[in-house]
Amino acid sequence: MPVESGADPHPPAEPDAGGVDARHAARLAEQHWNAAGRLTRLPADRDDNFLLLSATGARHVLKVAAAAEDLATLELENAALRHLRAAGPGERVPVPLPAADGRHVVMDPETGRAVRLLTWLPGTPLATARPRDAALLAAAGALVGEVDAGLAGFTHPGADRILAWDLARGAEEVAARLRHVEDPRRRALLEAVLERVAAEVAPAADQLRRSVIHADGNDHNLLVGPARPGTPRTVTGLVDFGDMLRTWVVAGPAVAAAYAALDTPDPLGAAAALVRGYHARHPLREAELAVLDALLRLRLAVSVSMAAERSAAGTAEPYHLVSQAGAWAALERLSAVPGAVAHAAFRYAAGLEPWPAGQRAATAVRQSKPVAVVDTPLADAPAAELGPGSVAAAEAGAALEPAAWHAVIAAPAVAPWGASRRLDAPEVAAQEGPDRISYRTRHLGADLFLPAGTPLRVPLEGVVRAVCTGPRGATLVLAHEVDGAAFHTRWTGLASASVAALREEARMRAGEPLGDVAYHGENGGWPPHVHVQLAATDPAGIPDTAAPDEWPWLAALCPDPAALLGLPPARPAEHDLSARRSALLGPNLSLSYARPLHIVRGRGAYLFDADAQPYLDCVNNVAHVGHEHPRVVAAIRRQAAVLNTNTRYLHPLLVEYAERLTATLPAPLEVVFLTCSGSEANELALRLARAHTGRRDVVVLDGAYHGNTSALVDMSPYKFAGPGGAGRAPWVHVAALPDPYRDPRGMDAFVSDVSRACRRAHAAGAGPAAFFAEPLPGCAGQVVPPAGYLRDAFAAARAAGAVCVADEVQVGFGRVGSHMWAFEADGAVPDIVTLGKPIGNGHPLGAVVCTRQVAASFANGMEYFNTFGGNPVSCAAGLAVLDVLEKEGLQASAAAVGGALLEGLRTLAERHPLIGDVRGRGLYLGVELVRERGTREPAAAEAAHLVERAREHGVLLSTDGPLHNVIKIKPPLVFGAAEADRLMGVLDALLGEDALRR
């Protein structure tokens, strides 16, 4: 419900008792407005506010003003609200309704308090919205801007008020209360704010527009509509005009941005989103943008200093203090953000060049003639790989355990400005938390990889501004001025001893020694290198890398230093390939996620996009032993460098792989055919079954998907019964999906349905050639059939003369944990088993393994040949996968991690009613979402929404099932306990968000 708050933006958790009870308020409403109905008290800090619900369902707000409320102030509010109804946001602000006698303010003679009746605005406070994402904050800023723009032409004698919350006098208010802040560290934060205001705001005061503004666009006064999966949330209203006054226009976005900055790990990003929306409705001038950051911090300082004074006086109510922890946290986080960075961010949000001085500095450097920094011709140096994952790194790491993978960078080499530092999976797991979805990976400088001890020279004359040491060696900051353009350079990674004699303010001439490249041990464990950064302002506090969303303004502050180093300008990488892809590829080739990912590499259980942002991969079972596992990569490279040919020649790897593969399978599965994919494997299995039985018909499970060839699409209900499908072919017979959650009939009924499908095949012709079944149906919804189903279903199919085919493309090779093959967990043994790309870890490799009897029937004189099936490189990949499975104990890990994850997901189901069922084995799990557990109504929109939100949190999931409401979890088997905890934390947080909470 809307909250009518007063001077403090956060109402009490429990409303004040107030001086007016609901019965008296009801009499006032009926007597003066002829409005009858049920009254419910609303939270408020000064007034007595009531929701009036009439018998017809109409809603209004009855406001009984505090005894000390000035009548002129209420008349100001009423006049402004009537003005706005015609000149601004219309129905998104409340409107005072006239009493029966025409008055908009009625005095209650019994209490002496003023009474008003206002229209009701639907919605809930922005403060309670989860999540408060950038789009929602921008929409909130837009409404505040629209209100302030509507008030720009409004005048009223009561608007020239003196309020403690007025930011035009905020510095005085903070200074007067500073003594009540006892913590020296916190007092220093407020003193720093006052210094900023004195230095930046006071000199610009004459340039700041004045107007009547709302002045209290906080997160309890802004109302938002209901959260619906897949639909942007709307901002429905702005209430509480009690702090409205004539003051600086820029105070409006400053106040609103201050509250956007609360309770977020990225206060600047949140504030910038709100400013973007405000500026779109009420454009800010450059002088106003220049002081916006200082005023935002001042608003937080006013709030905490007032709370400190009230606490010291013993007059603080709970609602006076509820926002203080968040305000102090925001001030502390913002204290690490230089004013120049915030100013550039707000300019970018307003659609302006973030930092014009950056271009001037870059131009001045290009037009100067810098001295060569080193004798090595850097322009000819190769591009450096910034982190694990380069070819050299994979090769060197092949003999190492995964935790010991390291970067290998040759010297000399250059990592240009804008290059992304690639994170390693262990580093990601250690750093990322549930609320952090963006890493600073794009370099704001250039990295020069040079032999340790290489001397560097000063490229341009400058003055030493700072010399310090840290975990990455020594840092030297020089100030320069060229043709009137002032800028700085920052050099990090220098040997401490080489700059020990330098002193601040010392002038350094171009060409004289700058320092030496630090050794490996002094350079944070990286290969020796120096990070060179050009900054168009004081670089203190400016990071040396940027997150993708920060890049536009931080790159403007720190332009490309290439000209300073004698390098060609950095070429920005192309990150959006969507248009080119759409123009060249088939329109039915889909992309995952509303904002498609541009993935450039993988490592373990993680994928990395073009900005090196990490994504925990919970769905790509093809990378069975981990993305780009160094052992598999090394095996492929070694064999590709020697020989790659076909199976018409003898080669030991083909035989060795067939021996190793059949050793994992039970008798009598002992004859191997190698293919290039799971689809090829299933197509071949169909041919084998038909050759062995002399029949053509097949029995499949409802919802099944077996591959993308014409025959397999025809026998996959997931395809032929879906969009674009041609329907069931006469030779295909469908048995019921053995889904205990959706079909309560039980195992006997499921097995009987296989027998019925076989009888239909006999009625249609010669009978079934094969019964194809995934032991754990995947596209059908990660289904776990009743125990023993596959064993009994195979028996029923064999009784009808069919060959039994276990499609293990998705679930085999140790994924279920308890067994190497999923059919083993059910006590079943097929006649044919088919395997797909997971057995090559993504290398195109598939296999069919069958009995000798089936293989003999296939040897009918027609040669079977597959050009690439069983080639030496694919066999090398397959052998490496088997090695990794054994040496790293991944099957046992799948059992342990999958079991813990299954229990954790069931615990989540106890807290989140949206989860209807949790099922699976090992690292093959499904979470079915339903809108109501009793009816089991599928929550397809909610599932899609959850997948999209998880992607924003750096976790990749997908949906499946005929009702599109099952979250599938089938990650690489290197997915460990840390990754499981990460997944659980994200799911728990997202299921608690408004659009998914039930």
Side-chain angles (χ1 to χ4, degrees), residues 146-159:
E146 194 171 344
V147 168
D148 285 356
L151 291 171
F154 172 74
T155 60
H156 193 282

Side-chain angles (χ1 to χ4, degrees), residues 590-672:
S590 66
L591 283 165
S592 297
Y593 311 109
R595 289 198 305 120
L597 286 167
H598 178 181
I599 296 298
V600 296
R601 68 179 53 222
R603 175 66 68 186
Y606 289 85
L607 290 171
F608 300 85
D609 70 10
D611 280 312
Q613 298 299 298
Y615 294 88
L616 177 60
D617 187 356
C618 301
V619 289
N620 278 293
N621 60 316
V622 173
H624 195 66
V625 298
H627 289 286
E628 323 320 318
H629 194 290
R631 294 183 189 276
V632 180
V633 172
I636 292 171
R637 283 175 55 82
R638 283 195 300 267
Q639 185 56 45
V642 176
L643 174 69
N644 193 27
T645 185
N646 57 60
T647 54
R648 285 202 171 107
Y649 305 100
L650 291 173
H651 196 281
L653 291 185
L654 173 62
V655 178
E656 183 180 353
Y657 184 64
E659 290 174 340
R660 292 275 301 278
L661 182 60
T662 54
T664 68
L665 288 157
L669 296 168
E670 52 190 13
V671 179
V672 178

Side-chain angles (χ1 to χ4, degrees), residues 242-640:
D243 287 342
M244 182 177 54
L245 79 162
R246 184 175 182 274
T247 186
W248 292 330
V249 170
V250 70
V255 170
Y259 287 95
L262 296 179
D263 305 318
T264 173
D266 182 17
L268 177 59
L274 188 135
V275 170
R276 182 174 69 251
Y278 187 98
H279 181 82
R281 293 291 187 272
H282 195 27
L284 296 166
R285 297 175 179 174
E286 294 205 25
E288 292 166 335
L289 289 166
V291 300
L292 182 53
D293 175 52
L295 290 178
L296 181 162
R297 302 184 198 211
L298 178 61
R299 178 61 182 83
L300 294 170
V302 170
S303 179
V304 296
S305 63
M306 283 188 174
E309 181 186 50
R310 287 166 175 160
S311 294
T315 61
E317 297 291 341
Y319 64 86
H320 290 143
L321 305 177
V322 69
S323 67
Q324 299 315 299
W328 279 117
L331 277 169
E332 289 172 0
R333 289 191 178 107
L334 287 169
S335 69
V337 179
V341 171
H343 184 195
F346 292 147
R347 286 180 60 88
Y348 180 75
L352 301 176
E353 169 64 33
W355 199 254
Q359 288 297 326
R360 292 196 295 271
T363 300
V365 170
R366 284 196 300 271
Q367 293 176 348
S368 64
K369 296 181 179 179
V371 171
V373 177
V374 290
D375 294 330
T376 304
L378 294 174
D380 297 329
E385 290 279 1
L386 282 176
S390 66
V391 170
E395 203 166 300
L400 303 172
E401 293 304 313
W405 289 334
H406 294 293
V408 176
I409 302 175
V414 175
W417 177 80
S420 293
R421 171 182 172 232
R422 289 158 183 149
L423 303 171
D424 198 3
E427 183 177 9
V428 173
Q431 287 188 5
E432 191 170 4
D435 293 321
R436 188 179 180 95
I437 59 174
S438 186
Y439 285 87
R440 283 179 170 159
T441 51
R442 294 189 69 179
H443 271 53
L444 291 164
D447 282 8
L448 310 180
F449 290 86
L450 297 163
T454 300
L456 306 180
R457 288 187 289 270
V458 177
L460 295 170
E461 181 177 349
V463 176
V464 177
R465 288 288 183 248
V467 184
C468 59
T469 57
R472 292 168 50 206
T475 295
L476 171 64
V477 177
L478 298 175
H480 309 270
E481 185 171 345
V482 176
D483 295 333
F487 55 91
H488 295 72
T489 56
R490 181 163 65 188
W491 310 75
T492 302
L494 301 172
S496 300
S498 69
V499 296
L502 294 177
R503 295 292 179 265
E504 292 187 12
E505 304 307 319
R507 183 165 293 278
M508 301 186 75
R509 294 186 301 276
E512 70 175 278
L514 182 147
D516 301 342
V517 178
Y519 284 81
H520 180 276
E522 194 181 358
N523 208 346
W526 277 78
H529 74 286
V530 174
H531 178 83
V532 185
Q533 199 162 343
L534 175 64
T537 185
D538 183 352
I542 296 179
D544 55 14
T545 51
D549 53 353
E550 300 174 314
W551 175 257
W553 60 82
L554 287 178
L557 284 162
C558 299
D560 186 1
L564 187 76
L565 304 172
L567 294 169
R571 296 177 59 186
E574 181 183 7
H575 287 186
D576 188 359
L577 302 175
S578 301
R580 291 170 57 195
R581 174 185 168 115
S582 297
L584 295 169
L585 303 181
N588 54 351
L589 189 65
S590 66
L591 283 165
S592 297
Y593 311 109
R595 289 198 305 120
L597 286 167
H598 178 181
I599 296 298
V600 296
R601 68 179 53 222
R603 175 66 68 186
Y606 289 85
L607 290 171
F608 300 85
D609 70 10
D611 280 312
Q613 298 299 298
Y615 294 88
L616 177 60
D617 187 356
C618 301
V619 289
N620 278 293
N621 60 316
V622 173
H624 195 66
V625 298
H627 289 286
E628 323 320 318
H629 194 290
R631 294 183 189 276
V632 180
V633 172
I636 292 171
R637 283 175 55 82
R638 283 195 300 267
Q639 185 56 45

